[in-house]
């Protein structure tokens, strides 16, 4: 039996990073941090008090925004599910009627990431975080 995998992050597309950041900062009080071209113009969003990039409020998650592009699947809001073994999870998705979009890519300093569609046509994604080293 597979262990439960938590939702660890959310993602949404944007067309105008400045407009998007101002909206979420003004409406919800979130803090945003634009990462620049070396990180694909990704914008991090802190939705709660954070320490070392992790939400301190139990049950709360942070997220981010990515530039909307015509050549990417899953351009709507996504939940990101944390998995211990992304390859095994990809196999389970295919065996259970879902479809993985491409191969995992590395997010520097974060882990491996890939988007998928479930058996009902819903878009989501998975993240295998980097292993902590002692």
């Amino acid at each position: 039996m597979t262990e439960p995998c938590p939702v660890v992050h959310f993602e949404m597309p944007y067309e105008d990073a400045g407009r998007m950041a101002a909206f979420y900062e003004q409406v919800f009080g979130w803090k945003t941090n634009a990462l620049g071209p070396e990180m694909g113009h990704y914008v991090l969003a802190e939705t709660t008090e954070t320490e070392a990039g992790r939400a301190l409020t139990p049950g709360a998650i942070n997220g981010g925004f990515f530039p909307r592009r015509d050549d990417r699947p899953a351009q709507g809001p996504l939940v990101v599910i944390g998995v211990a073994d992304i390859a095994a999870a990809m196999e389970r998705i295919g065996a259970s009627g879902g479809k993985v979009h491409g191969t995992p890519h590395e997010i520097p300093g974060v882990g491996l990431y890939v988007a998928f569609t479930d058996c009902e046509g819903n878009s989501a994604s998975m993240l295998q975080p980097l292993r902590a080293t002692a």
Side-chain angles (χ1 to χ4, degrees):
M1 182 153 139
T2 302
E3 292 291 317
C5 298
V7 173
V8 297
H9 191 75
F10 68 84
E11 295 187 318
M12 293 188 272
Y14 69 80
E15 292 183 19
D16 182 310
R19 179 180 65 206
M20 173 277 300
F23 177 88
Y24 284 96
E25 289 169 1
Q26 292 169 7
V27 175
F28 298 110
W30 296 359
K31 294 179 186 174
T32 60
N33 180 21
L35 299 182
E38 66 280 359
M39 293 296 282
H41 298 283
Y42 197 80
V43 179
L44 291 172
E46 291 183 5
T47 69
T48 185
E49 188 176 350
T50 302
E51 183 176 294
R54 304 278 185 233
L56 295 177
T57 306
I61 61 171
N62 289 317
F65 296 84
F66 57 90
R68 188 180 308 274
R69 288 182 24 187
D70 292 336
D71 64 340
R72 289 184 181 168
Q75 290 293 286
L78 297 171
V79 296
V80 181
I81 300 167
V83 297
D85 183 339
I86 202 164
M90 290 169 65
E91 286 182 24
R92 291 192 303 270
I93 286 169
S96 299
K99 180 180 179 186
V100 176
H101 300 292
T103 59
H105 67 275
E106 183 176 346
I107 301 172
V110 177
L112 296 174
Y113 174 93
V114 70
F116 67 94
T117 304
D118 72 11
C119 62
E120 302 302 312
N122 297 305
S123 296
S125 57
M126 298 183 292
L127 174 71
Q128 177 185 312
L130 293 175
R131 304 255 187 251
T133 57

PDB file of all heavy atoms in Angstrom, residues 6-10 30-31 44-64:
ATOM      1  N   PRO A   6       1.415  14.182   0.860  1.00  0.00           N
ATOM      2  CA  PRO A   6       0.752  15.457   1.131  1.00  0.00           C
ATOM      3  C   PRO A   6       0.839  16.454  -0.018  1.00  0.00           C
ATOM      4  O   PRO A   6       1.750  16.394  -0.845  1.00  0.00           O
ATOM      5  CB  PRO A   6       1.538  15.995   2.334  1.00  0.00           C
ATOM      6  CG  PRO A   6       2.921  15.462   2.110  1.00  0.00           C
ATOM      7  CD  PRO A   6       2.723  14.078   1.507  1.00  0.00           C
ATOM      8  N   VAL A   7      -0.110  17.374  -0.062  1.00  0.00           N
ATOM      9  CA  VAL A   7      -0.003  18.539  -0.932  1.00  0.00           C
ATOM     10  C   VAL A   7       1.016  19.455  -0.269  1.00  0.00           C
ATOM     11  O   VAL A   7       0.880  19.795   0.909  1.00  0.00           O
ATOM     12  CB  VAL A   7      -1.360  19.247  -1.109  1.00  0.00           C
ATOM     13  CG1 VAL A   7      -1.190  20.549  -1.878  1.00  0.00           C
ATOM     14  CG2 VAL A   7      -2.351  18.325  -1.812  1.00  0.00           C
ATOM     15  N   VAL A   8       2.064  19.832  -1.005  1.00  0.00           N
ATOM     16  CA  VAL A   8       3.160  20.588  -0.413  1.00  0.00           C
ATOM     17  C   VAL A   8       3.336  21.991  -0.992  1.00  0.00           C
ATOM     18  O   VAL A   8       4.114  22.787  -0.461  1.00  0.00           O
ATOM     19  CB  VAL A   8       4.494  19.817  -0.540  1.00  0.00           C
ATOM     20  CG1 VAL A   8       4.430  18.497   0.228  1.00  0.00           C
ATOM     21  CG2 VAL A   8       4.865  19.565  -1.999  1.00  0.00           C
ATOM     22  N   HIS A   9       2.619  22.296  -2.077  1.00  0.00           N
ATOM     23  CA  HIS A   9       2.867  23.558  -2.778  1.00  0.00           C
ATOM     24  C   HIS A   9       1.711  23.773  -3.754  1.00  0.00           C
ATOM     25  O   HIS A   9       0.995  22.840  -4.079  1.00  0.00           O
ATOM     26  CB  HIS A   9       4.185  23.397  -3.559  1.00  0.00           C
ATOM     27  CG  HIS A   9       4.782  24.622  -4.147  1.00  0.00           C
ATOM     28  ND1 HIS A   9       5.430  25.573  -3.404  1.00  0.00           N
ATOM     29  CD2 HIS A   9       4.869  25.029  -5.441  1.00  0.00           C
ATOM     30  CE1 HIS A   9       5.900  26.518  -4.220  1.00  0.00           C
ATOM     31  NE2 HIS A   9       5.561  26.204  -5.458  1.00  0.00           N
ATOM     32  N   PHE A  10       1.514  24.982  -4.204  1.00  0.00           N
ATOM     33  CA  PHE A  10       0.560  25.240  -5.283  1.00  0.00           C
ATOM     34  C   PHE A  10       1.262  26.070  -6.332  1.00  0.00           C
ATOM     35  O   PHE A  10       2.269  26.723  -6.054  1.00  0.00           O
ATOM     36  CB  PHE A  10      -0.706  25.965  -4.782  1.00  0.00           C
ATOM     37  CG  PHE A  10      -0.439  27.373  -4.339  1.00  0.00           C
ATOM     38  CD1 PHE A  10      -0.412  28.423  -5.244  1.00  0.00           C
ATOM     39  CD2 PHE A  10      -0.205  27.660  -2.998  1.00  0.00           C
ATOM     40  CE1 PHE A  10      -0.152  29.730  -4.844  1.00  0.00           C
ATOM     41  CE2 PHE A  10       0.053  28.958  -2.588  1.00  0.00           C
ATOM     42  CZ  PHE A  10       0.075  29.993  -3.501  1.00  0.00           C
ATOM     43  N   TRP A  30       0.055  38.347   0.927  1.00  0.00           N
ATOM     44  CA  TRP A  30       1.154  37.429   0.653  1.00  0.00           C
ATOM     45  C   TRP A  30       2.415  38.201   0.310  1.00  0.00           C
ATOM     46  O   TRP A  30       2.358  39.317  -0.220  1.00  0.00           O
ATOM     47  CB  TRP A  30       0.829  36.513  -0.517  1.00  0.00           C
ATOM     48  CG  TRP A  30      -0.313  35.573  -0.301  1.00  0.00           C
ATOM     49  CD1 TRP A  30      -1.078  35.422   0.822  1.00  0.00           C
ATOM     50  CD2 TRP A  30      -0.840  34.655  -1.251  1.00  0.00           C
ATOM     51  NE1 TRP A  30      -2.027  34.462   0.631  1.00  0.00           N
ATOM     52  CE2 TRP A  30      -1.916  33.975  -0.639  1.00  0.00           C
ATOM     53  CE3 TRP A  30      -0.510  34.338  -2.558  1.00  0.00           C
ATOM     54  CZ2 TRP A  30      -2.643  32.989  -1.297  1.00  0.00           C
ATOM     55  CZ3 TRP A  30      -1.244  33.359  -3.216  1.00  0.00           C
ATOM     56  CH2 TRP A  30      -2.289  32.691  -2.582  1.00  0.00           C
ATOM     57  N   LYS A  31       3.567  37.608   0.582  1.00  0.00           N
ATOM     58  CA  LYS A  31       4.853  38.146   0.153  1.00  0.00           C
ATOM     59  C   LYS A  31       5.259  37.407  -1.112  1.00  0.00           C
ATOM     60  O   LYS A  31       5.122  36.186  -1.188  1.00  0.00           O
ATOM     61  CB  LYS A  31       5.915  37.936   1.229  1.00  0.00           C
ATOM     62  CG  LYS A  31       5.662  38.707   2.496  1.00  0.00           C
ATOM     63  CD  LYS A  31       6.741  38.415   3.510  1.00  0.00           C
ATOM     64  CE  LYS A  31       6.413  39.071   4.833  1.00  0.00           C
ATOM     65  NZ  LYS A  31       7.378  38.693   5.866  1.00  0.00           N
ATOM     66  N   LEU A  44       7.955  33.164  -6.251  1.00  0.00           N
ATOM     67  CA  LEU A  44       7.547  32.476  -5.028  1.00  0.00           C
ATOM     68  C   LEU A  44       6.490  33.286  -4.299  1.00  0.00           C
ATOM     69  O   LEU A  44       6.520  34.519  -4.322  1.00  0.00           O
ATOM     70  CB  LEU A  44       8.742  32.280  -4.093  1.00  0.00           C
ATOM     71  CG  LEU A  44       9.805  31.299  -4.563  1.00  0.00           C
ATOM     72  CD1 LEU A  44      11.006  31.356  -3.631  1.00  0.00           C
ATOM     73  CD2 LEU A  44       9.245  29.888  -4.631  1.00  0.00           C
ATOM     74  N   ALA A  45       5.584  32.595  -3.628  1.00  0.00           N
ATOM     75  CA  ALA A  45       4.543  33.253  -2.836  1.00  0.00           C
ATOM     76  C   ALA A  45       4.529  32.655  -1.432  1.00  0.00           C
ATOM     77  O   ALA A  45       4.383  31.444  -1.274  1.00  0.00           O
ATOM     78  CB  ALA A  45       3.176  33.060  -3.485  1.00  0.00           C
ATOM     79  N   GLU A  46       4.733  33.514  -0.441  1.00  0.00           N
ATOM     80  CA  GLU A  46       4.623  33.093   0.958  1.00  0.00           C
ATOM     81  C   GLU A  46       3.238  33.478   1.435  1.00  0.00           C
ATOM     82  O   GLU A  46       2.890  34.652   1.475  1.00  0.00           O
ATOM     83  CB  GLU A  46       5.689  33.768   1.808  1.00  0.00           C
ATOM     84  CG  GLU A  46       7.086  33.302   1.508  1.00  0.00           C
ATOM     85  CD  GLU A  46       8.127  33.926   2.415  1.00  0.00           C
ATOM     86  OE1 GLU A  46       7.768  34.669   3.361  1.00  0.00           O
ATOM     87  OE2 GLU A  46       9.318  33.669   2.183  1.00  0.00           O
ATOM     88  N   THR A  47       2.451  32.467   1.801  1.00  0.00           N
ATOM     89  CA  THR A  47       1.071  32.696   2.224  1.00  0.00           C
ATOM     90  C   THR A  47       0.929  32.749   3.734  1.00  0.00           C
ATOM     91  O   THR A  47      -0.161  33.007   4.247  1.00  0.00           O
ATOM     92  CB  THR A  47       0.148  31.592   1.692  1.00  0.00           C
ATOM     93  OG1 THR A  47       0.459  30.365   2.366  1.00  0.00           O
ATOM     94  CG2 THR A  47       0.313  31.415   0.185  1.00  0.00           C
ATOM     95  N   THR A  48       2.002  32.476   4.433  1.00  0.00           N
ATOM     96  CA  THR A  48       2.001  32.403   5.883  1.00  0.00           C
ATOM     97  C   THR A  48       3.409  32.678   6.376  1.00  0.00           C
ATOM     98  O   THR A  48       4.345  32.739   5.572  1.00  0.00           O
ATOM     99  CB  THR A  48       1.509  31.010   6.349  1.00  0.00           C
ATOM    100  OG1 THR A  48       1.405  30.983   7.768  1.00  0.00           O
ATOM    101  CG2 THR A  48       2.455  29.915   5.899  1.00  0.00           C
ATOM    102  N   GLU A  49       3.578  32.828   7.669  1.00  0.00           N
ATOM    103  CA  GLU A  49       4.916  33.037   8.215  1.00  0.00           C
ATOM    104  C   GLU A  49       5.791  31.853   7.817  1.00  0.00           C
ATOM    105  O   GLU A  49       5.377  30.694   7.876  1.00  0.00           O
ATOM    106  CB  GLU A  49       4.853  33.162   9.733  1.00  0.00           C
ATOM    107  CG  GLU A  49       6.162  33.564  10.339  1.00  0.00           C
ATOM    108  CD  GLU A  49       6.073  33.772  11.838  1.00  0.00           C
ATOM    109  OE1 GLU A  49       4.956  33.782  12.393  1.00  0.00           O
ATOM    110  OE2 GLU A  49       7.144  33.921  12.453  1.00  0.00           O
ATOM    111  N   THR A  50       7.014  32.179   7.382  1.00  0.00           N
ATOM    112  CA  THR A  50       7.889  31.171   6.797  1.00  0.00           C
ATOM    113  C   THR A  50       9.269  31.243   7.434  1.00  0.00           C
ATOM    114  O   THR A  50       9.751  32.317   7.772  1.00  0.00           O
ATOM    115  CB  THR A  50       8.005  31.412   5.280  1.00  0.00           C
ATOM    116  OG1 THR A  50       6.691  31.371   4.719  1.00  0.00           O
ATOM    117  CG2 THR A  50       8.838  30.370   4.605  1.00  0.00           C
ATOM    118  N   GLU A  51       9.875  30.068   7.580  1.00  0.00           N
ATOM    119  CA  GLU A  51      11.258  30.001   8.044  1.00  0.00           C
ATOM    120  C   GLU A  51      12.012  29.038   7.134  1.00  0.00           C
ATOM    121  O   GLU A  51      11.563  27.905   6.938  1.00  0.00           O
ATOM    122  CB  GLU A  51      11.316  29.506   9.488  1.00  0.00           C
ATOM    123  CG  GLU A  51      12.719  29.480  10.068  1.00  0.00           C
ATOM    124  CD  GLU A  51      12.717  29.073  11.523  1.00  0.00           C
ATOM    125  OE1 GLU A  51      12.175  29.839  12.339  1.00  0.00           O
ATOM    126  OE2 GLU A  51      13.225  27.981  11.825  1.00  0.00           O
ATOM    127  N   ALA A  52      13.111  29.494   6.570  1.00  0.00           N
ATOM    128  CA  ALA A  52      13.918  28.687   5.642  1.00  0.00           C
ATOM    129  C   ALA A  52      13.069  28.114   4.514  1.00  0.00           C
ATOM    130  O   ALA A  52      13.235  26.972   4.112  1.00  0.00           O
ATOM    131  CB  ALA A  52      14.642  27.575   6.399  1.00  0.00           C
ATOM    132  N   GLY A  53      12.101  28.913   4.014  1.00  0.00           N
ATOM    133  CA  GLY A  53      11.273  28.497   2.897  1.00  0.00           C
ATOM    134  C   GLY A  53      10.131  27.560   3.254  1.00  0.00           C
ATOM    135  O   GLY A  53       9.424  27.086   2.384  1.00  0.00           O
ATOM    136  N   ARG A  54       9.937  27.264   4.522  1.00  0.00           N
ATOM    137  CA  ARG A  54       8.884  26.347   4.966  1.00  0.00           C
ATOM    138  C   ARG A  54       7.829  27.104   5.762  1.00  0.00           C
ATOM    139  O   ARG A  54       8.145  27.944   6.595  1.00  0.00           O
ATOM    140  CB  ARG A  54       9.460  25.243   5.846  1.00  0.00           C
ATOM    141  CG  ARG A  54      10.568  24.454   5.199  1.00  0.00           C
ATOM    142  CD  ARG A  54       9.998  23.382   4.292  1.00  0.00           C
ATOM    143  NE  ARG A  54      11.060  22.552   3.768  1.00  0.00           N
ATOM    144  CZ  ARG A  54      11.229  22.309   2.494  1.00  0.00           C
ATOM    145  NH1 ARG A  54      10.419  22.816   1.611  1.00  0.00           N
ATOM    146  NH2 ARG A  54      12.207  21.545   2.083  1.00  0.00           N
ATOM    147  N   ALA A  55       6.572  26.768   5.510  1.00  0.00           N
ATOM    148  CA  ALA A  55       5.461  27.383   6.243  1.00  0.00           C
ATOM    149  C   ALA A  55       5.518  26.952   7.705  1.00  0.00           C
ATOM    150  O   ALA A  55       5.720  25.773   8.002  1.00  0.00           O
ATOM    151  CB  ALA A  55       4.137  26.974   5.622  1.00  0.00           C
ATOM    152  N   LEU A  56       5.342  27.909   8.622  1.00  0.00           N
ATOM    153  CA  LEU A  56       5.353  27.603  10.055  1.00  0.00           C
ATOM    154  C   LEU A  56       3.966  27.252  10.579  1.00  0.00           C
ATOM    155  O   LEU A  56       3.845  26.602  11.611  1.00  0.00           O
ATOM    156  CB  LEU A  56       5.928  28.781  10.842  1.00  0.00           C
ATOM    157  CG  LEU A  56       7.396  29.106  10.573  1.00  0.00           C
ATOM    158  CD1 LEU A  56       7.824  30.339  11.371  1.00  0.00           C
ATOM    159  CD2 LEU A  56       8.282  27.916  10.918  1.00  0.00           C
ATOM    160  N   THR A  57       2.923  27.684   9.895  1.00  0.00           N
ATOM    161  CA  THR A  57       1.556  27.410  10.332  1.00  0.00           C
ATOM    162  C   THR A  57       1.164  25.992   9.931  1.00  0.00           C
ATOM    163  O   THR A  57       1.204  25.656   8.748  1.00  0.00           O
ATOM    164  CB  THR A  57       0.576  28.414   9.688  1.00  0.00           C
ATOM    165  OG1 THR A  57       1.028  29.737   9.971  1.00  0.00           O
ATOM    166  CG2 THR A  57      -0.830  28.216  10.205  1.00  0.00           C
ATOM    167  N   PRO A  58       0.785  25.144  10.904  1.00  0.00           N
ATOM    168  CA  PRO A  58       0.386  23.781  10.545  1.00  0.00           C
ATOM    169  C   PRO A  58      -0.749  23.784   9.515  1.00  0.00           C
ATOM    170  O   PRO A  58      -1.716  24.534   9.634  1.00  0.00           O
ATOM    171  CB  PRO A  58      -0.097  23.183  11.879  1.00  0.00           C
ATOM    172  CG  PRO A  58       0.632  23.982  12.913  1.00  0.00           C
ATOM    173  CD  PRO A  58       0.727  25.380  12.328  1.00  0.00           C
ATOM    174  N   GLY A  59      -0.589  22.971   8.480  1.00  0.00           N
ATOM    175  CA  GLY A  59      -1.602  22.852   7.438  1.00  0.00           C
ATOM    176  C   GLY A  59      -1.485  23.870   6.325  1.00  0.00           C
ATOM    177  O   GLY A  59      -2.112  23.725   5.285  1.00  0.00           O
ATOM    178  N   ALA A  60      -0.690  24.908   6.511  1.00  0.00           N
ATOM    179  CA  ALA A  60      -0.540  25.948   5.487  1.00  0.00           C
ATOM    180  C   ALA A  60       0.571  25.552   4.511  1.00  0.00           C
ATOM    181  O   ALA A  60       1.527  24.870   4.874  1.00  0.00           O
ATOM    182  CB  ALA A  60      -0.200  27.291   6.123  1.00  0.00           C
ATOM    183  N   ILE A  61       0.412  25.961   3.255  1.00  0.00           N
ATOM    184  CA  ILE A  61       1.452  25.741   2.256  1.00  0.00           C
ATOM    185  C   ILE A  61       1.747  27.058   1.552  1.00  0.00           C
ATOM    186  O   ILE A  61       0.922  27.960   1.534  1.00  0.00           O
ATOM    187  CB  ILE A  61       1.056  24.671   1.217  1.00  0.00           C
ATOM    188  CG1 ILE A  61      -0.200  25.082   0.438  1.00  0.00           C
ATOM    189  CG2 ILE A  61       0.898  23.303   1.861  1.00  0.00           C
ATOM    190  CD1 ILE A  61      -0.530  24.187  -0.744  1.00  0.00           C
ATOM    191  N   ASN A  62       2.926  27.140   1.003  1.00  0.00           N
ATOM    192  CA  ASN A  62       3.291  28.269   0.157  1.00  0.00           C
ATOM    193  C   ASN A  62       3.180  27.830  -1.291  1.00  0.00           C
ATOM    194  O   ASN A  62       2.854  26.680  -1.575  1.00  0.00           O
ATOM    195  CB  ASN A  62       4.701  28.748   0.491  1.00  0.00           C
ATOM    196  CG  ASN A  62       4.745  29.432   1.840  1.00  0.00           C
ATOM    197  OD1 ASN A  62       3.873  30.226   2.161  1.00  0.00           O
ATOM    198  ND2 ASN A  62       5.748  29.112   2.644  1.00  0.00           N
ATOM    199  N   GLY A  63       3.431  28.745  -2.194  1.00  0.00           N
ATOM    200  CA  GLY A  63       3.282  28.396  -3.592  1.00  0.00           C
ATOM    201  C   GLY A  63       4.122  29.266  -4.483  1.00  0.00           C
ATOM    202  O   GLY A  63       5.074  29.897  -4.045  1.00  0.00           O
ATOM    203  N   GLY A  64       3.718  29.307  -5.739  1.00  0.00           N
ATOM    204  CA  GLY A  64       4.437  30.113  -6.693  1.00  0.00           C
ATOM    205  C   GLY A  64       3.662  30.289  -7.975  1.00  0.00           C
ATOM    206  O   GLY A  64       2.616  29.670  -8.188  1.00  0.00           O
TER     207      GLY A  64
END
